[in-house]
Amino acid sequence: MYSTSHVNLPQNAREELIDMLNTLLANAVDLHWQVKQAHWNIRGTHFYSRHLLFDEVAKHARKHADSYAERAGALGGYAQGTIRLASNNSQLPEYDLQAVDGEAHIRALVERVGRYASSLRDGITKSDEVNDPVTADILTQTLGETEEDLWFLESHLNGDARVGTTIPPRGGGNRRGRTAEDISQATT
């Protein structure tokens, strides 16, 4: 379903982009609810930090969905973002309902966030092919945030999860130690 748009792109390019954006919308909606599934059901070691991390990843996916829907609308398209449409159109596998402990949830999310990131890379390539730097920029920014989420998730598998750990002070600095979040916020 397409409407009139005065965005300076050929109609066939806009239609191709709208279809791609609706697929990404489905992926983002599906990812959001799969991450929330993990958020609600996480148990075990590092419960609290993982519970909070999952909530952040879910918020990012929800924000991404909004960006895709709005860009599809700007191109003259109709955003197909209901839960039922997302479940039919998502490229992500169904969530592993056997995941209960923290590591199983992390592994399931790493796989899904990785696939989602891959779909964003494909979308950037497609946007570049039809000469749409605006959509490419939206997807590039989204990919950066997604790959950071992926890094945070993977860090829990590699035994070097820096999120929430205290980093001791070095030589005469702040004596109380700083968390990884403190350092991250200070450098952004």
Side-chain angles (χ1 to χ4, degrees), residues 22-39:
N22 272 315
T23 299
L24 290 174
L25 175 58
N27 290 348
V29 169
D30 190 16
L31 181 63
H32 172 265
W33 290 111
Q34 288 197 39
V35 175
K36 289 303 279 190
Q37 179 73 18
H39 169 81

Side-chain angles (χ1 to χ4, degrees), residues 17-186:
L17 288 164
I18 292 163
D19 290 345
M20 180 261 305
L21 286 162
N22 272 315
T23 299
L24 290 174
L25 175 58
N27 290 348
V29 169
D30 190 16
L31 181 63
H32 172 265
W33 290 111
Q34 288 197 39
V35 175
K36 289 303 279 190
Q37 179 73 18
H39 169 81
W40 296 322
N41 291 294
I42 185 75
R43 303 289 184 270
T45 307
H46 309 292
F47 162 80
Y48 188 69
S49 64
R50 289 174 173 174
H51 184 75
L52 294 177
L53 173 60
F54 296 170
D55 212 25
E56 277 301 303
V57 174
K59 279 190 236 178
H60 293 161
R62 187 176 185 141
K63 179 179 70 174
H64 301 165
D66 198 46
S67 295
Y68 309 144
E70 289 174 355
R71 182 62 183 159
L75 293 170
Y78 187 83
Q80 299 175 14
T82 68
I83 296 289
R84 289 184 186 143
L85 288 170
S87 71
N88 288 332
N89 298 325
S90 176
Q91 298 169 321
L92 303 180
E94 181 56 59
Y95 197 76
D96 178 9
L97 297 181
Q98 301 304 309
V100 177
D101 71 359
E103 188 154 324
H105 283 295
I106 294 284
R107 288 191 187 287
L109 293 179
V110 163
E111 178 189 357
R112 281 142 187 87
V113 172
R115 285 186 184 205
Y116 176 63
S118 179
S119 70
L120 289 168
R121 284 188 184 281
D122 292 344
I124 292 166
T125 299
K126 184 175 296 262
S127 299
D128 287 341
E129 288 171 357
V130 299
N131 196 27
D132 181 9
V134 174
T135 301
D137 184 54
I138 291 168
L139 300 184
T140 299
Q141 289 179 30
T142 302
L143 178 61
E145 187 170 63
T146 300
E147 287 184 346
E148 184 175 51
D149 288 342
L150 185 58
W151 172 53
F152 274 60
L153 290 166
E154 287 175 330
S155 292
H156 282 259
L157 293 176
N158 296 331
D160 187 23
R162 306 277 302 188
V163 177
T165 61
T166 300
I167 300 168
R170 290 190 179 185
N174 179 350
R175 295 282 178 213
R176 68 175 178 84
R178 299 183 298 170
T179 66
E181 290 87 350
D182 294 336
I183 292 170
S184 174
Q185 290 174 354

